[in-house]
Each structure stands twice: as C-alpha cells, then as structure tokens.
Amino acid sequence: MTTELIMICMAALIVIGILLHHPSRTLGIPSLLIFMGVGLALGNGEFDFVYDDLAQTAWIGGLALNVIVFVGGLNTSTDKIKVAYKEGGMLASFGVVFTTIIFAGILYVLLDFNFLLCLLFAAVVSSTDAAAVFSILESKKLKLKEETDTILEFESATNDPVAMLMVIVLTEMVLSSSQSVSLSSLSITLFTQVIVAIVVGLIVARIAVWLLNSISLSEYGLIPVFVLASFIIATYGAEFLGGNILLASYIAGVVIGNFIKRGQQVNLHFFNSLSWLAQALMFIVLGLQIFPQMLMTVFWASLIPAILLIVVARPLAVQLCYLPFPKASWRKRLFISMIGLKGATPIVFALIPAAAGVPDAINIVHMVFFIMIFSVFIQGGAIGPLADKLGLVQTPKKD
C-alpha cells in the first residue's frame, strides 16, 4: 500500500470516528470505544486490508500517550497539585506496586502462566489511564467533594512511569530466565528515571516559559508551535538522558500551562485539539492491530480476572495506600478504590512484551483489551451513580 493511500485511509477512519462521536455521547458510549471500534471493523481483512505491526503500533501508541499526558498537564493547575500530591503520589507509586503484586497472585491461581509472566500481566494493567479518567470526568461534568476528582486525575497522570518501568524490566526478565529480581537495581532505575524526568522537564519548560514571557511574539499562532517544539525537547531529551518520558511530559505540561502569561487560550485550544487527534489515532491503530476473530478465544478467560481486578486487587491496593491518611473519609476511599479506570494505556504497555517476543504476550494483549472494555463500561458507568450514592457530588454554588 502506498504512502498516499495509507494517509487517505487513516484520515478517513478519523473522520468516521469524529462523525460518530456525537451520537456515541448521546448513547453514553465513551469516544475511545468508537474510535477503536472503527479500527476493529475496517482493518482486519474485511476490506482486503490487514494491519499487523506490533512494533509500529507500540510506537504510535507511546507517542500519542505522550501527547495526551502533556495536555493533561497543561490543563492541571498548581493549586490542584498542592491538594492532591500526597494522596495521589501514594496511589501513583505504591498503589501501582500493590496492585501488581495482588493481581499477579490472583492471575497465578486462575491462569496457566508462570508467576513472572503473571507479574508482567499485572504490571501492564496496574495503572489507571489518564485519557480515560480525564475524558469521562469531563464528559460527565463531575465535580467531587474532598478533592476526590483532583486526586484521581493526579494519580492517572503520574502513575504510568512506575507501571512502564515494571513492564520493561519484567519483559527483560521473562526473556532472560537467568536474570533474577534485584530490588536495589530496580529502585535505582526508578529513582534515576524519576529524577531525570523531573529535572529535564522542569528546566526545559522553565526556559520555554521565560522566553515566551520575555519575547512578545507578534503572531499568536507561533506560541503553540513554540510550545510544541519545547515539549518535544523536554520529553525526548529526558528519555535520551535516561528519564521517564511520560513523567517529563506531565511536568513540562504543568509548568507551561500554569506560567505562560500570553496566549494561554490559543495554546490550550491548539493542544486540546492535538490531544483529540492523538487519542483518535491511538485508538484506531490499536483497533486495527487487534483481530476480532482472536478476541473471542480469550473472552471467558478474561472475564473473571477483569472482575477480580476491579473488586479485589484495586480496592485492596488503594486501602493499603490510604493507611497513612486516616483523616480521609471512608466514602472517598471507597470511591477511589472502585474507580480505577483502564483505557488505551494498558494495551500500549501490553504491546511492549508482545513486540519483544515474549511467549503468550499476544494473548495478554487480547485479554487486556477485554479488561479495558469491562473497566470502561463498569467503572466508567459507575462514576456518576456511585459518587451520587456516596454523597460525593459537589453541588454548584448559587449566586
């Protein structure tokens, strides 16, 4: 297939997904499922076109996820971070680790996988998805008491580095059976990734903000272009130096979004549109990569693990994380326990071992797909009713 035809086909798929977006919201169907459904329906041989490239799909998914996290940072105020960093940081770090360990134990009992592969599977689905959390909270227009929504947003935007590191390390360990688990080396690697990401993200973003505030660009349209270039330097510079690209993306987004003094609205409109494009492209390509005829072979094997992840692993991990916060109400803890939304991020993470050639990894990809579907419908659908039932919905103040 020629480059021209590929571009035309991808653009046509995005157009179809966008046209279906409004009716999907009317029916209460998340847009991510619409875009992924377009890819599933059109790309797996039904129209004499088959897309099957795990490495390229993983690269596109990673790039799109990077953009989505950056835009999430742009839309996050420093006031929210000051409120959420303690509880959200605990959930984003230890919460991911606890979820991985608990869910790996469940998988080891249920599936015919060795424990190392169960750990890898659990790490893939251990983090909450920023795109899913941001989009569902926004679509439902929910503002929650006790800053619960802010904590969920902070957790989802910052928990991917820990999950990604575990997925990469465990993938290497599965492929090299002689390699043993070293807690010290794992801790050093994580510490290095976090520190480098923070330092590079902060420095580059601060320089970009200073330049934008010092130099009055005559053309407002140049501001988002400058920010886009700065974002690329910050994130890929951090990755080049050994930092975590997603954490660097979020930090750069927060700094730029909160401290530029001119052209903020133009910048936000541009990047919100770019985020939609990234989401559409990522979900469509993931849909193209997943073959419907292979999905049904793992449906029943995915059902019980998905339910146990939602009602056992995630709640236990959250309750453990909240032990240092006794003042947090049981309603808040229960709500956060039950709302651990999964989206495209676990599928992107699942493609890492699949592209590396880990045995049974393609089955993990398909099982993760069903876990994501269950999570979006069950947890995403429960956000509004559960918040209302627990009395966490914040009513608008009357003038």
Side-chain angles (χ1 to χ4, degrees), residues 186-198 241-244:
L186 189 61
S187 301
I188 291 170
T189 303
L190 178 59
F191 180 78
T192 302
Q193 287 213 353
V194 170
I195 294 300
V196 171
I198 292 173
L241 294 173
N244 184 273

Side-chain angles (χ1 to χ4, degrees), residues 73-275:
L74 285 177
N75 288 285
T76 302
S77 69
T78 51
D79 292 336
K80 286 186 175 182
I81 292 175
K82 289 175 183 177
V83 169
Y85 79 94
K86 290 182 180 178
E87 295 175 34
M90 190 72 174
L91 291 168
S93 53
F94 288 99
V96 172
V97 175
F98 292 154
T99 302
T100 299
I101 295 171
I102 295 168
F103 193 49
I106 292 171
L107 292 172
Y108 186 67
V109 174
L110 294 176
L111 304 178
D112 188 24
F113 289 164
N114 63 55
F115 189 66
L116 199 55
L117 196 58
C118 290
L119 277 173
L120 175 58
F121 191 164
V124 164
V125 296
S126 61
S127 64
T128 56
D129 184 80
V133 170
F134 288 139
S135 63
I136 289 179
L137 285 174
E138 175 62 27
S139 66
K140 295 182 181 294
K141 305 296 181 186
L142 276 179
K143 183 64 180 173
L144 305 178
K145 296 177 183 177
E146 302 182 49
E147 306 294 343
T148 306
D149 51 336
T150 303
I151 291 167
L152 283 170
E153 289 175 352
F154 184 86
E155 177 201 4
S156 67
T158 58
N159 63 1
D160 290 329
V162 177
M164 179 183 281
L165 175 62
M166 289 197 299
V167 169
I168 292 171
V169 171
L170 288 167
T171 297
E172 294 173 352
M173 290 172 60
V174 170
L175 291 173
S176 177
S177 57
S178 61
Q179 189 173 345
S180 58
V181 180
S182 174
L183 184 60
S184 59
S185 63
L186 189 61
S187 301
I188 291 170
T189 303
L190 178 59
F191 180 78
T192 302
Q193 287 213 353
V194 170
I195 294 300
V196 171
I198 292 173
V199 171
V200 175
L202 274 175
I203 290 175
V204 175
R206 281 289 189 181
I207 292 172
V209 167
W210 177 76
L211 289 171
L212 281 173
N213 291 339
S214 302
I215 303 169
S216 181
L217 294 173
S218 58
E219 177 54 58
Y220 264 44
L222 290 175
I223 293 175
V225 176
F226 183 89
V227 170
L228 177 61
S230 302
F231 152 68
I232 294 171
I233 293 170
T235 55
Y236 288 95
E239 186 178 47
F240 179 76
L241 294 173
N244 184 273
I245 190 169
L246 296 178
L247 183 57
S249 298
Y250 183 70
I251 289 169
V254 169
V255 173
I256 293 172
N258 282 275
F259 297 107
I260 60 170
K261 298 176 181 177
R262 189 168 176 268
Q264 280 191 336
Q265 290 304 311
V266 173
N267 196 52
L268 285 176
H269 285 312
F270 173 84
F271 278 99
N272 284 335
S273 298
L274 188 62
S275 177

Side-chain angles (χ1 to χ4, degrees), residues 375-398:
S375 174
V376 168
F377 277 108
I378 297 173
Q379 294 175 302
I383 281 185
L386 183 59
D388 188 58
K389 186 74 173 177
L390 293 173
L392 287 173
V393 178
Q394 186 172 308
T395 54
K397 295 180 180 179
K398 295 182 179 180

Side-chain angles (χ1 to χ4, degrees), residues 352-371:
I352 295 173
V358 170
D360 291 319
I362 197 64
N363 287 330
I364 291 177
V365 172
H366 293 131
M367 293 178 74
V368 168
F369 173 83
F370 278 120
I371 289 174

